[in-house]
Amino acid sequence: MAQLDAWKLRCELIGHEADVRSVSSLSNGSLVTTSRDKTVRVWNSNGMRDFTDCKILVGHEYFVACAIELPPCPAHPAGAVLSAGYDRTMSGQTIVDPVINIWEGESIVGVLKGHTLTVCSLAITATGQLVSASWDKTVRVWDLNTRQCTATLKGHEQAVWSVLALENGAILSGSADKTIKLWDNNVCTKTFTGHTDCVRALALMPGLGFVSTGNDASIRLWSLDGDCLMEMKGHDSFVYTLAVLPSGEIVSGSEDKTCRVWRDGQCVLSLPHAGSVWGVAALPNGDIATACSDAMARVFTRDPALLADETTIAQHEEMLAAQKVAAQEVGGVKMSELPGVEALDQPGNKEGATKIVRVNDKAYAYSWNSVESKWDQIGEVVGGP
C-alpha cells in the first residue's frame, strides 16, 4: 500500500501525569518515555496501530530527563534500559542526587553516581560504553561491566545538554556555551562554532556527519571536518530535540508547539501539538514519536493501515483547535514570547525575584524563595478587563 504524503496521527500514549520529557525507540519495536512525574514507561506495540503501557518503572526520586536502550552486553545479557534524572537542591544542599538507573524489567539493578547536577543526555558508544552529559559542565564515560566512571571530559564552559556517539568511537557534545566538541580517546580534538545560543540536541546523519539544534531555533548540518554544510530555519522558538528518519529526513521538536520534518533543507511538514515538544524519536518503519509537555507521547505515521480511527483523529483536532489562541497577550506581552517552564530550572538572583512563564496557553508568575532554593508559584497572570 502506498504511503501518505504526510505523517498523521497513529496513536496517543496516555498515562504520564506530567510533562513527557523524552521518547526513545527500542530495537524490539517498543517505546520508552520519561517524565516529570518521576517515572519511566515502556510501551509495547500491539502489532497494529496502538502501543500498550506494559511497564511503569518507579524508582527515581525526582524528574526523569531521558532514557535509552542498552543492547545485550556481558553484564546485561538480555539488555537493559538506562534512565537519567534531575538533581534537586534546596538551600545549597543536594536533596536528590542526579543518578543514572540501570533497569532490567521493572527492577533497578544498578545505579551510577558521579555527576553533581542534572543528567540530561545518554548515549552508547560503538564499544559498549555509556556516555552521559550533565549541567555540571562535564561528559562522563562509564564502563557498564564495572559500573565505574572511566573518564570525565572537561572543557565546556556551561551545561552540557547533549551527547552523541559516533560510529568511529568518537563522541560529540553540545553545550549551553554555544559550542559542539568532538572527543577522540577522551581528548577534545575539535570545537564546532556557529550556533548563537545554547546547543540542545545532536543527531547522527549517516554518510554526511551530524545535525545540531538549540535555543537559536536553527538546525545545522555539519561534516565531521567542522564545516557547516547547511542551516535550516523555520521554528519560532527554542528547538529541544532532533532525530533522523531512515529516509534521511530530519525531525525536530520545539517550544513553539510543533514537530517539524525537514527534507533537502526545507521544512515539508509541521505537526502542531498542545504544548512544547520536548522529545522526538524515529521508528524503524519511518514513523515519528513525540514527547509533549501536555503529559502525552504520540506516534505519527504515513502508513494508511496504521492511522488512528476517525473518532481519535477528530478528538485530537478538536483539542488542537481549543489550544489555539490567536495573538493572546498578557500584560501587553505575547504569550509566544514568554519563556517556557524550563526557565524555572535557573535560580533567581535574589529573594523575591519574579518570573513569568508560559504553561501551555496560560501564564504563571513565580517568586524566588532563596531559603528553599526554589520558585514558588504566585498564581496565574491574566490580562486586564
Side-chain angles (χ1 to χ4, degrees):
M1 187 178 293
Q3 287 187 326
L4 300 172
D5 291 334
W7 285 261
K8 297 183 182 297
L9 184 67
R10 171 177 168 178
C11 62
E12 296 178 325
L13 282 58
I14 303 171
H16 280 297
E17 298 175 0
D19 293 43
V20 183
R21 296 293 300 191
S22 75
V23 58
S24 297
S25 176
L26 305 183
S27 58
N28 65 0
S30 298
L31 295 174
V32 58
T33 56
T34 67
S35 171
R36 285 180 183 253
D37 66 10
K38 307 178 187 178
T39 70
V40 179
R41 296 186 179 229
V42 180
W43 312 76
N44 278 353
S45 172
N46 67 357
M48 300 178 68
R49 70 165 67 99
D50 295 320
F51 285 79
T52 302
D53 185 8
C54 67
K55 293 178 184 174
I56 303 176
L57 311 185
V58 179
H60 280 281
E61 297 181 50
Y62 204 42
F63 306 153
V64 191
C66 58
I68 61 170
E69 180 178 26
L70 171 64
C73 64
H76 304 278
V81 169
L82 306 174
S83 61
Y86 283 62
D87 71 285
R88 187 176 186 184
T89 303
M90 296 177 64
S91 301
Q93 298 295 316
T94 299
I95 307 302
V96 177
D97 289 322
V99 301
I100 302 168
N101 285 336
I102 305 173
W103 304 83
E104 290 184 353
E106 297 176 48
S107 300
I108 297 175
V109 297
V111 178
L112 307 181
K113 294 183 179 182
H115 283 295
T116 57
L117 294 174
T118 293
V119 182
C120 49
S121 181
L122 300 172
I124 301 294
T125 69
T127 56
Q129 293 178 305
L130 171 66
V131 184
S132 57
S134 171
W135 293 356
D136 66 12
K137 306 179 187 179
T138 70
V139 173
R140 285 182 176 249
V141 182
W142 307 81
D143 183 326
L144 290 169
N145 293 311
T146 63
R147 296 177 184 166
Q148 298 297 310
C149 176
T150 59
T152 301
L153 312 186
K154 298 179 179 180
H156 282 295
E157 297 177 358
Q158 295 186 43
V160 186
W161 277 97
S162 183
V163 285
L164 177 66
L166 300 178
E167 296 166 314
N168 63 2
I171 300 165
L172 287 167
S173 58
S175 169
D177 65 13
K178 308 176 188 177
T179 71
I180 301 163
K181 291 185 180 292
L182 176 66
W183 308 83
D184 197 358
N185 292 320
N186 301 330
V187 175
C188 181
T189 58
K190 190 180 299 292
T191 298
F192 300 76
T193 59
H195 279 288
T196 58
D197 206 334
C198 172
V199 180
R200 299 293 291 263
L202 303 167
L204 186 67
M205 179 62 77
L208 287 176
F210 67 97
V211 285
S212 64
T213 194
N215 287 6
D216 64 7
S218 73
I219 299 168
R220 294 170 182 253
L221 172 63
W222 304 83
S223 73
L224 292 178
D225 293 329
D227 297 323
C228 183
L229 306 176
M230 185 182 296
E231 183 178 4
M232 293 155 268
K233 293 186 176 181
H235 279 292
D236 299 322
S237 189
F238 303 156
V239 186
Y240 297 131
T241 178
L242 287 174
V244 176
L245 295 170
S247 61
E249 292 159 308
I250 299 167
V251 183
S252 57
S254 169
E255 175 71 19
D256 68 11
K257 302 184 182 180
T258 67
C259 165
R260 301 193 184 210
V261 180
W262 306 79
R263 182 186 306 136
D264 299 326
Q266 301 297 315
C267 179
V268 296
L269 179 66
S270 179
L271 294 168
H273 283 64
S276 303
V277 181
W278 292 117
V280 295
L283 278 63
N285 67 348
D287 284 1
I288 298 168
T290 63
C292 186
S293 64
D294 67 352
M296 280 196 201
R298 294 176 174 86
V299 182
F300 297 87
T301 187
R302 295 176 66 191
D303 186 344
L306 296 178
L307 288 179
D309 59 63
E310 293 182 1
T311 299
T312 301
I313 290 176
Q315 291 173 342
H316 178 67
E317 292 176 347
E318 288 172 6
M319 177 273 299
L320 291 174
Q323 289 286 335
K324 213 171 190 179
V325 180
Q328 183 178 351
E329 294 188 359
V330 175
V333 179
K334 289 184 178 181
M335 289 286 287
S336 61
E337 295 176 355
L338 291 174
V341 292
E342 76 151 5
L344 302 178
D345 292 332
Q346 300 299 319
N349 54 17
K350 64 179 180 178
E351 174 70 19
T354 58
K355 185 173 290 188
I356 299 176
V357 302
R358 176 164 54 85
V359 182
N360 294 327
D361 285 315
K362 294 183 179 180
Y364 292 88
Y366 287 79
S367 175
W368 178 247
N369 181 335
S370 58
V371 176
E372 299 184 10
S373 296
K374 69 184 183 73
W375 290 98
D376 294 328
Q377 188 182 107
I378 301 172
E380 184 180 352
V381 180
V382 297

